[in-house]
Amino acid sequence: MLIQLSDEGVQFPENSGIHTAEEAAAHAVVHITKPGTYALTGTLSAGQIAVDLGENATDDPTAAVVLILDNAEVICRVAPAVIFYNVYECGQPDAAAGAAVLLADGSNNRIVGSHVAKIYKPGTDEKLHKYDGAFYSRMSMKLDGAGKLRIEADNEGLDSEMHLTIDGGEIYIESGNDGIN
């Protein structure tokens, strides 16, 4: 499926706790909720690509999303510009990751993202979430292809909570903290 990015969105992210409600409301979210291959092209100058196949996806090998970046630019000033929440978690060295990113041949792609501070359950010290990277995955992620990817981040650049595999592409990261985490 081809997703032509534009500055028109249908939903907005919640306030992250470090940005004003007005800043958050100015960013659109493109939700991907079904497995498949999605080609992203064009510019989203105030928004996020959010992949979430549901809480049961982590154990389902068919719950996989491939994002093909083909001259795509995603800029999000209040959260990660691209985030994988729930997809298949392979857990095996030879299994395919449920979060895959392919840099199209000869493409130039740019991801500019922010982080979301630690959000705690009300009245506890239990962390609900903290998303540090401009390009972030809660599951294992694979990045491949023959294109270029430039990541600009106020905190972490390319960030995965599980395994991160880079098999190809030219990746340039400018970050306020770790380039790859």
Side-chain angles (χ1 to χ4, degrees), residues 93-167:
D94 58 347
V101 178
L102 181 64
L103 305 174
D105 290 358
S107 67
N108 287 297
N109 305 283
R110 181 174 176 237
I111 303 296
V112 179
S114 184
H115 66 287
V116 176
K118 290 181 185 177
I119 306 297
Y120 295 95
K121 281 188 178 179
T124 73
D125 289 330
E126 185 178 341
K127 181 176 73 169
L128 287 174
H129 61 265
K130 174 184 159 193
Y131 306 122
D132 285 343
F135 201 119
Y136 195 89
S137 182
R138 291 185 58 225
M139 306 295 154
S140 294
M141 180 170 53
K142 179 180 180 179
L143 200 139
D144 199 356
K148 294 178 182 175
L149 174 61
R150 177 170 299 283
I151 297 173
E152 298 169 31
D154 67 353
N155 194 29
E156 314 287 359
L158 184 58
D159 198 339
S160 176
E161 289 183 22
M162 304 302 253
H163 302 95
L164 175 63
T165 304
I166 300 174
D167 283 338

